[in-house]
Amino acid sequence: MSHAAPRPLSVSARGPLRGTLTVPGDKSISHRALMFCALAVGESRIRGLLEGEDVMATAAAMRAMGARIDRDADGTWRVHGVGVGGLLQPEQALDMGNSGTSTRLLMGLVSSHAITATFTGDASLSKRPMGRVTEPLSQMGADVRSSPGGRLPLMVRGLCPAVPITYTLPIASAQVKSAVLLAGLNTPGITRVIEPVPTRDHSERMLRGFGAEVTVEDSPEGKIISIHGEAELKPQTIEVPGDPSSAGFWMVAASIVPGSEIVIHNVCMNPTRTGLITALKLMGADIVEIDAREVGGEPVADLRVRHAHLKAIEVPADLAPSMIDEYPILFVAAAVAQGRTVARGAHELRVKESDRIAAMRAALEAAGVQCEEFEDGLAIQGSAGAPLAGGGSVASLLDHRIAMSMTVAGLAAAAPIAIDDVSPVATSYPDFFETLHALTGAAQ
Ligand code: S3P
């Protein structure tokens, strides 16, 4: 998947956001839905799948390894799985585009199958560390040959049968946890992951839903997640709830643009994903959960968000795992809050689609916001509700969340903010700009 032609955009302030919207399907759940359906025996259906480039990279890879995946005209996806243990040798390198989740989880799957796969990606993904998954997967018997620094392109030669391990996560990462659990799916015996700090638990929830034997126990070392190998997954009908990370852009946009009031439908409220809502409420945001319910084994709610006068906070570091993708947009909220917001303990931001600490510092400073950079976070001086100066040029660095966050910053800026390339938005939120237009257009 080569990167699309750059799409520059100049964003200026516009009227309040008003109306109701739904956000696209959750990215983490969409990747896992395709992978697990492709490993079930028989036909599964997925509704509400995120049709962004990252998830399409997962679909292409699962097709290359033998699954049949089709989209009906009504948007339902039908997947004919090959069964755990049934993945076929892909004929060509698997192009993961921009998607770290596809790469790391699929490396896990390949590790315990008797196949070899080469993984390639775009310039952003090729800079990201893969050693964090290579290490446990090698312990299970996979032979991984990576480029210098443990990066892409890399080749995984799986071992079947692989060796079950007990692995304590050295960093809070749902991708590493999931890679080991997915390798454990086709490994005889019990594979265990010990998670000292809880991270998103979609793999555990969904695998159980597909009929795998997955147990989670608390221990003094953290959660112990065990998967019984040589599992048989039963086909499912999956309803993917809305992505709380995508909803975050509208939560902040409505909070900072005076006169805004929106309702976001069908947002996944899994507690391992709601850190941004907690942080924004601490800042004084007016976010109300309506009609809390369960969809497909995940808690879901509609969220009403109104403009509010935000106050600076010290962002609790223990929220980091549950809002790790939301720091860029939280930094935008901090830029218009009253006072100095400090966010520390988020070192992982350095190895996302971009170095999000450096990228957001540069972007916000270009928009006239005073920042202080730490190794593990940022301090941001807020404008106390006044418009940001704006007027600067921002580099999105192949990072969808930098592009969307700075678009939202532009809504609260006196002079337009020029973003060099918003095309990466298509990786996770293809309709982002249509939705922005609909929400602001309704008030014009
Ligand atoms: C994800 C886990 C997180 C997150 C990413 C999606 C997942 O990454 O940042 O966008 O679906 O498991 P880490 O595991 O690197 O924290």
Side-chain angles (χ1 to χ4, degrees), residues 61-297:
M62 297 318 293
R63 282 193 189 106
M65 291 191 282
R68 228 183 76 204
I69 304 178
D70 300 296
R71 182 187 190 278
D72 288 344
D74 69 354
T76 304
W77 288 74
R78 278 182 294 111
V79 182
H80 287 260
V82 293
V84 170
L87 291 180
L88 302 180
Q89 169 74 47
E91 280 171 14
Q92 277 156 9
L94 303 175
D95 182 353
M96 302 284 91
N98 191 252
S99 179
T101 308
S102 312
T103 310
R104 294 184 175 131
L105 270 58
L106 291 175
M107 283 173 68
L109 273 186
V110 168
S111 284
S112 58
H113 281 73
I115 58 174
T116 299
T118 299
F119 294 87
T120 62
D122 72 3
S124 150
L125 185 59
S126 302
K127 286 189 204 139
R128 299 182 66 187
M130 296 298 153
R132 52 182 62 195
V133 277
T134 304
E135 206 220 290
L137 298 178
S138 303
Q139 286 179 25
M140 295 180 79
D143 179 13
V144 185
R145 305 282 160 95
S146 43
S147 298
R151 294 174 210 276
L152 260 50
L154 63 71
M155 193 195 74
V156 180
R157 186 190 304 274
L159 178 69
C160 187
V163 183
I165 58 167
T166 295
Y167 189 70
T168 302
L169 293 177
I171 36 171
S173 167
Q175 292 179 351
V176 178
K177 168 176 66 176
S178 301
V180 176
L181 293 176
L182 296 200
L185 264 181
N186 194 40
T187 300
I190 300 177
T191 298
R192 290 190 182 84
V193 178
I194 303 175
E195 187 180 52
V197 178
T199 65
R200 66 191 68 193
D201 61 356
H202 306 300
S203 295
E204 299 91 300
R205 283 177 189 246
M206 291 176 75
L207 283 170
R208 227 185 266 130
F210 275 82
E213 221 183 309
V214 178
T215 58
V216 182
E217 299 156 72
D218 287 320
S219 81
E221 288 76 43
K223 273 196 204 169
I224 305 176
I225 304 138
S226 308
I227 184 158
H228 293 242
E230 299 178 295
E232 199 170 300
L233 303 188
K234 294 182 202 68
Q236 304 293 312
T237 296
I238 296 181
E239 197 82 49
V240 182
D243 195 324
S245 301
S246 298
F249 298 106
W250 308 123
M251 289 180 215
V252 171
S255 296
I256 67 175
V257 179
S260 296
E261 174 164 350
I262 60 171
V263 175
I264 315 171
H265 282 290
N266 197 37
V267 181
C268 179
M269 295 293 284
N270 181 315
T272 62
R273 299 290 301 281
T274 50
L276 176 69
I277 299 177
T278 308
L280 288 174
K281 283 186 176 170
L282 288 173
M283 296 174 83
D286 181 353
I287 303 175
V288 179
E289 289 157 40
I290 309 165
D291 191 14
R293 55 201 185 271
E294 190 160 302
V295 174

Side-chain angles (χ1 to χ4, degrees), residues 27-28 32 101 104 132 172-175 200 324-325 348 352:
K27 184 151 76 72
S28 294
R32 288 160 174 80
T101 308
R104 294 184 175 131
R132 52 182 62 195
S173 167
Q175 292 179 351
R200 66 191 68 193
I324 195 65
D325 292 338
E348 273 295 296
K352 294 296 177 187

